[in-house]
Amino acid sequence: MSEPAVVLVSGGLDSATVLAIANHEGYACHALSFDYGQRHGVELDAARRVADSLGAVAHRVVNVDLAAFGGSALTDFTHAVPESPTQGIPITYVPARNTVFLALALAFAETLAARHLFIGVNAVDYSGYPDCRPAFIRAFEALARLGTKMGVQGGRIEVHTPLIDLTKAEIIRRGIELGVDFAATVSCYQPDTMGRACGRCDSCRIRRDGFAAADVLDPTRYRAT
């Protein structure tokens, strides 16, 4: 039987590629998505499409109200999504988001007796978020070993980050090799209700530049400007 793994699936380009990689490596993939009060809720529709098309054995959406705290343009509508590069960590950073998501993925993994978590963090073509760095992932693995029944009983819990050292172009090429339909994904921070991208936010810029660098036709649906 295939070994179980929990794969964080947001509905975006990176997480779709990670799910395809985990499935290709032979894991029984339990896709996990979060409705956390994000303004771009259509990404959850994309997450369902991705999980269905890329071989997840199950897909669960969990409600976590990070909008109750705000502090990010993705969860607080009083902050505008930046449409030009900014200095430092941008306002689209959601406080402790990956810490919360990985903690819940770890809890889910223990119920499945799964020792493997997959997340699509990237430390090359990204917006400078602190919870996308290798040091954060290593620290979380240490926490998992210390703070779980599985860990203290000798089970090695691994957080797989297959995209962490790849450029966006390399991620796109790898996804295409594995049959990812990037037209089904949503990466935009402020898509419309039909899932069409704004074409102006940081995430759109990184995605568009990635397709150009990969010399691949960009399948993203953009709304009229």
Side-chain angles (χ1 to χ4, degrees), residues 122-141:
N122 178 264
V124 180
D125 287 337
Y126 78 123
S127 298
Y129 300 151
D131 53 2
C132 289
R133 298 172 300 153
F136 166 74
I137 298 299
R138 291 194 298 270
F140 190 88
E141 284 185 321

Side-chain angles (χ1 to χ4, degrees), residues 5 29 31 63 169 172 176 184 223:
C29 299
N63 293 311
I172 289 167
I176 290 171
R223 64 176 183 255

Side-chain angles (χ1 to χ4, degrees), residues 26-222:
Y27 291 96
C29 299
H30 294 259
L32 181 61
S33 305
F34 295 98
D35 184 346
Y36 61 94
Q38 64 269 51
R39 69 164 69 215
H40 46 306
V42 294
E43 73 175 15
L44 291 173
D45 295 328
R48 294 182 183 95
R49 293 193 296 268
V50 165
D52 287 343
S53 66
L54 292 176
V57 298
H59 180 219
R60 181 171 297 195
V61 177
V62 174
N63 293 311
V64 183
D65 188 14
L66 297 183
F69 306 123
S72 168
L74 303 190
T75 57
D76 184 345
F77 281 69
T78 65
H79 296 289
V81 172
E83 295 184 352
S84 59
T86 58
Q87 295 294 318
I89 298 171
I91 192 63
T92 50
Y93 164 70
V94 180
R97 180 176 62 180
N98 283 347
T99 304
V100 173
F101 288 179
L102 279 172
L104 291 170
L106 180 60
F108 184 28
E110 279 211 284
T111 70
L112 300 170
R115 300 183 300 108
H116 301 276
L117 309 179
F118 281 79
I119 184 171
V121 293
N122 178 264
V124 180
D125 287 337
Y126 78 123
S127 298
Y129 300 151
D131 53 2
C132 289
R133 298 172 300 153
F136 166 74
I137 298 299
R138 291 194 298 270
F140 190 88
E141 284 185 321
L143 177 152
R145 289 193 295 271
L146 292 171
T148 61
K149 177 181 177 180
M150 184 162 39
V152 299
Q153 290 183 346
R156 177 170 176 76
I157 299 164
E158 296 185 57
V159 180
H160 299 260
T161 57
L163 311 184
I164 202 159
D165 294 321
L166 302 184
T167 66
K168 190 66 72 178
E170 290 170 331
I171 293 168
I172 289 167
R173 293 191 192 103
R174 182 61 173 146
I176 290 171
E177 289 174 359
L178 296 175
V180 176
D181 177 10
F182 287 123
T185 65
V186 174
S187 300
C188 180
Y189 288 149
Q190 51 184 359
D192 64 16
T193 56
M194 298 177 64
R196 295 177 299 188
C198 73
R200 300 186 302 273
C201 70
D202 196 35
S203 186
C204 279
R205 177 184 59 78
I206 292 171
R207 177 178 169 123
R208 184 175 56 244
D209 290 350
F211 279 107
D215 197 23
V216 172
L217 180 67
D218 183 357
T220 308
R221 294 182 303 131
Y222 293 101

